Amino acid sequence: MKRLFSLCLAVAIGLGTAASARAQLQPPEVAARSYLLLDMTSNQILAARDPDAPADPASLTKLMTAYVVFGAVREKKISLEQRLPVSVRAWDERKGGASVMFIEPRMQVSVEDLLKGMIVVSGNDAAVALAEGVAGSVEAFVEMMNREAQRMGLKNTTFKNVTGITEPGHVSTARDLATIASRIITDFPEFFPLYSMREYRFNNITQPNRNLLLRRDPSVDGMKTGYTAAAGYCLIATAQREFPNGKRRLLSVVLNTTSMEARASESQKLLNWGYQAFDALKLFDANQAIVTPPIWKGTDSEVKLGSPAPVYVTVPKGDADKVKTQVERIDPLVAPLAKGQSVGKLKVVYGNNLLAEVPLVVLDPVKEAGIFGRAWDAIRLWIK
């Protein structure tokens, strides 16, 4: 049977008034067909419009292209130093005015250079060369991209190519693209700095990163631009800023704006609003004992339960005292219990909204007691 334990938390970190916070909750007007603002610190969506509407992702596609390549490097299927041939198919990507890094047939280009060319200057030619180097063909690589999309739980994304060129059935959404971008940051932190490079020089040609916010906002450190006639001007931008209770990372997605300037200004507007209108509250540290319930038939009388990761939530400024937690756990807890074993969950609520649900795990193992201790606790449990 389960027993519900509730405990209220008031977090005091110098917040503004509740009235002013409510006034700030209305998101700004964003001139984009769809958008999403994610607080990565708490994994909460702060604002969105049509986040699941199908959209042409343009070169935002290359986020998944990069994710698959990053995985291949980590699994040692390829190395950053490995030099890949440039096929005629990759060279042909320069036709039609597409973004390229200017690789040429008969070149042997390192995986590291190709990644920079694809990420910093959005080179279609680099994307094709990487796909062929990892999977043997573009078509086989696209299958890998779609399998990864399924593994991530992206319900509204299908890839038909590795570059983002407009093609029937090649589709994603603001929500799914935010998931891919955030997974790059969390799963491959060693590669994330590539997205902050302001320019890249290859083959004696220097090209700028088209993410204008990298030059305007020192807290912006990535991620990716995209444009086709069908998609309009798109941008995923992420920023990390320091606050008294730690760093906060926000990630914005704007799809189908009217110009390079528009996608930059609308993204900046969203990021600033997210930082100004909300606070991320750190409720518990990683491996902090959240509750210490009794345990039966064990060598200890209590067991420490907590989360292996810090517990954060994001709420409007001034509303920290409205955050409450509920602990749901198995009762009675009977030894033995292994470290990391899940025996319940922590729910964090704000008004009628469930902000987070975190597994509660055993922080320190509890061994089974001897025969007499087990027998005594069996009698106590029977009486109880």
Side-chain angles (χ1 to χ4, degrees):
M1 105 185 197
K2 287 186 177 180
R3 185 174 299 170
L4 178 66
F5 299 81
S6 297
L7 99 112
C8 300
L9 299 177
V11 186
I13 55 172
L15 301 171
T17 66
S20 64
R22 282 194 294 272
Q24 296 175 26
L25 276 180
Q26 185 65 34
E29 287 295 323
V30 178
R33 183 170 296 177
S34 60
Y35 71 83
L36 181 145
L37 179 64
L38 172 70
D39 190 326
M40 287 190 59
T41 306
S42 60
N43 198 34
Q44 289 175 230
I45 294 175
L46 305 184
R49 181 170 68 221
D50 295 331
D52 299 312
D56 186 326
S59 283
L60 300 183
T61 297
K62 296 185 181 87
L63 290 168
M64 183 60 88
T65 308
Y67 189 93
V68 175
V69 176
F70 295 157
V73 173
R74 179 173 289 176
E75 294 168 9
K76 301 188 185 305
K77 295 178 179 178
I78 58 172
S79 69
L80 292 176
E81 300 77 22
Q82 183 175 342
R83 304 185 77 82
L84 301 179
V86 178
S87 68
V88 173
R89 181 171 183 175
W91 183 79
D92 279 346
E93 290 294 328
R94 67 178 59 197
K95 296 178 181 178
S99 299
V100 292
M101 68 177 289
F102 295 103
I103 53 178
E104 299 173 359
R106 297 183 300 276
M107 275 186 172
Q108 297 280 324
V109 187
S110 72
V111 170
E112 183 174 10
D113 281 332
L114 290 170
L115 279 171
K116 291 176 181 177
M118 181 179 69
I119 290 169
V120 182
V121 302
S122 202
N124 285 9
D125 50 359
V128 170
L130 285 166
E132 292 174 334
V134 170
S137 71
V138 171
E139 290 74 19
F141 191 91
V142 170
E143 291 179 5
M144 295 172 67
M145 293 170 67
N146 284 314
R147 285 197 298 270
E148 196 60 55
Q150 292 176 358
R151 190 179 71 84
M152 289 185 185
L154 309 184
K155 299 179 180 179
N156 300 300
T157 294
T158 302
F159 297 110
K160 297 292 185 179
N161 58 68
V162 301
T163 62
I165 188 171
T166 300
E167 185 174 342
H170 187 87
V171 67
S172 190
T173 67
R175 189 191 305 273
D176 285 358
L177 290 166
T179 298
I180 300 169
S182 61
R183 287 292 298 270
I184 287 174
I185 296 170
T186 56
D187 295 353
F188 297 103
E190 68 271 30
F191 291 110
F192 176 60
L194 294 175
Y195 291 92
S196 67
M197 294 178 61
R198 295 184 180 183
E199 64 180 23
Y200 183 58
R201 182 176 179 81
F202 182 83
N203 206 11
N204 295 318
I205 302 170
T206 301
Q207 298 186 75
N209 192 319
R210 297 176 182 86
N211 181 357
L212 301 180
L213 295 186
L214 289 173
R215 296 169 179 82
R216 298 179 180 178
D217 184 341
S219 70
V220 171
D221 50 7
M223 291 268 303
K224 189 71 189 73
T225 62
Y227 169 78
T228 63
Y233 291 86
C234 308
L235 175 61
I236 296 178
T238 182
Q240 184 169 260
R241 299 182 187 178
E242 290 274 2
F243 288 86
N245 64 331
K247 295 179 179 179
R248 287 181 62 199
R249 178 173 293 284
L250 300 186
L251 185 143
S252 64
V253 181
V254 296
L255 303 181
N256 205 315
T257 68
T258 58
S259 67
M260 288 181 63
E261 179 59 39
R263 71 187 177 190
S265 61
E266 299 308 288
S267 298
Q268 185 78 78
K269 188 188 302 182
L270 272 174
L271 292 170
N272 287 342
W273 176 79
Y275 282 119
Q276 293 164 3
F278 294 88
D279 279 307
L281 311 178
K282 187 177 185 180
L283 303 184
F284 300 100
D285 288 317
N287 299 312
Q288 176 185 345
I290 296 175
V291 287
T292 53
I295 184 169
W296 303 86
K297 302 184 180 181
T299 53
D300 298 317
S301 60
E302 294 180 333
V303 59
K304 295 178 180 179
L305 305 182
S307 168
V311 179
Y312 284 91
V313 294
T314 302
V315 295
K317 286 183 180 290
D319 283 1
D321 58 345
K322 298 180 182 178
V323 174
K324 302 182 187 300
T325 66
Q326 296 175 342
V327 172
E328 295 181 0
R329 62 169 176 81
I330 298 170
D331 188 51
L333 290 170
V334 180
L337 292 178
K339 182 177 181 178
Q341 182 176 340
S342 180
V343 294
K345 56 189 175 184
L346 172 75
K347 291 184 175 181
V348 185
V349 296
Y350 167 75
N352 294 322
N353 299 314
L354 178 65
L355 297 184
E357 189 170 286
V358 180
L360 279 180
V361 303
V362 176
L363 299 180
D364 297 316
V366 180
K367 296 181 180 179
E368 192 175 48
I371 185 170
F372 294 109
R374 297 198 307 273
W376 173 244
D377 275 359
I379 294 171
R380 295 174 62 206
L381 278 171
W382 182 75
I383 297 173
K384 180 174 182 269

